[in-house]
Amino acid sequence: MSTSERASEPRGGLPVMNLSQVLGAPVLSRSGEAVGRVEDVIVRLRGVDDYPLVTGIVAGVGGRRVFIGSQAIDEFAPDRILLVRNKVDLRGFERRDGEVLLRADVLGHRLIDVASVELIRAYDVRLEDTGAGWVLTRIDTRRPPRFFGMIKGSNGQAPRDWKAFEPLIGHVRSDAVRRHWGRVGGFKPAEIADLIEEADKAEGGEILDRVRSDPELEADVFEELDPDKASRLFDGMPDDEVAALLGRMRADDAADAVADLRQSRRRRVLDLMPAPQRTKVITLMGFNPESAGGLMNVDFVSCAATATAGAALALITLARTIQPEALVKVHVLGEGDRLAGVVSVITLLQADPAESIAALMDSDPVRVSPAMDLTDVALLMADFNLYSIPVVDEHDRVLGVVTVDDVLEATIPDDWRRREPAPRPIGEISQPDPVDPPSTGEETS
């Protein structure tokens, strides 16, 4: 596939053109006769370190959509596609594994901006001839300006590097492609939750497909999701999958999720959950969700007053399944498992490992009943500068702990949770990067 002089040469003498320039261009036979028009351009994803390689076009020929491979194209230009021969294979186009249609799959669709972790729409696509083939190098993410209701050209815009994005192309099932384009797994759970909440149904489903390869990450993401969104996602999942996912979540979040399920479904899901988690969830569901009992985490670290500082720290080291926020204090239990005191991790770290917990603990810690209102819990934690607070029953036995993150999550207004990202400063828009020469491969036929 040769390069036409009609393609612009903005950098390094390498010809480039936009997808919008080639769509609708005539497809000419070797003799110059128009045999059809360009309907789409096909690329093959090759991984995060390589730009997608153009492998051909989809052309409209006599009312049919046919594939024309790169090897059959002599000239690839904004205003025409010139074929090597006069004949065109009229067999209908069929997409193959790993193939992406730029107009159908990318243009007008959204991708994940990896740096800012947000969904960005592609308004145009830049193609570049490296000498070894055309590749997709950049995405234009800025909406074209309008003039009296008509879209103007995109001159002066600064397309961004394709490698800065994670594509969302649900029908691409190639395992190799998915391994290369798996950067979603490196995002924080709250960032992934934000993406899913902003995404439409198809986009959200694909993001979740990427996350499901890591069950623990999937559970963390569902903990961060807006309850209404999580509930809708659970509605589309079978009971056993919901139960398995809830079994990996924090018990307090799982209890909230079960409460949001349809009443006819709750018992089925609870019966399928692991027994220890089911017991915790049922316990938590007995409390008002706006109370200390409804907010608390039933997993915490405790020891006897006879333990040493070193032994208490060892318990924290082994508590890998407990959320870190609940590990800021060790709860000291006395006769009848009643709360005798608490000792902070900082105090333990600063103490002699052989020193007795009884000598280090606060023997009259602030505690709350499970019925205490959320607002009162928040004020109490603020007044005493507490990161966690034990919840005890009428006999002073510890039922669980409320942590500061739980209080913040419950008290922050809903309209504060999902804010629009700050505009990207113009100076931060990267300049074009050199294109990596693509490796030659077998063309699609």
Side-chain angles (χ1 to χ4, degrees), residues 303-309 332 340 343 355-363:
C303 68
T306 55
T308 63
V332 184
V343 59
E355 191 165 359
S356 170
I357 285 289
L360 299 171
M361 70 181 186
D362 175 0
S363 59

Side-chain angles (χ1 to χ4, degrees), residues 229-243:
K229 180 66 175 181
S231 181
R232 290 194 295 272
L233 291 173
F234 283 136
D235 285 343
M237 298 167 60
D239 291 346
D240 57 340
E241 288 186 15
V242 173

Side-chain angles (χ1 to χ4, degrees), residues 316-368:
I316 294 174
T317 301
L318 295 173
R320 294 185 177 89
T321 60
I322 299 179
Q323 66 173 113
E325 295 84 0
L327 298 176
V328 296
K329 291 181 180 178
V330 174
H331 299 77
V332 184
L333 305 183
E335 184 179 353
D337 288 337
R338 292 182 176 85
L339 181 64
V342 297
V343 59
S344 73
V345 172
I346 299 300
T347 299
L348 293 173
L349 290 171
Q350 294 174 339
D352 186 317
E355 191 165 359
S356 170
I357 285 289
L360 299 171
M361 70 181 186
D362 175 0
S363 59
D364 187 24
V366 177
R367 67 202 78 185
V368 298

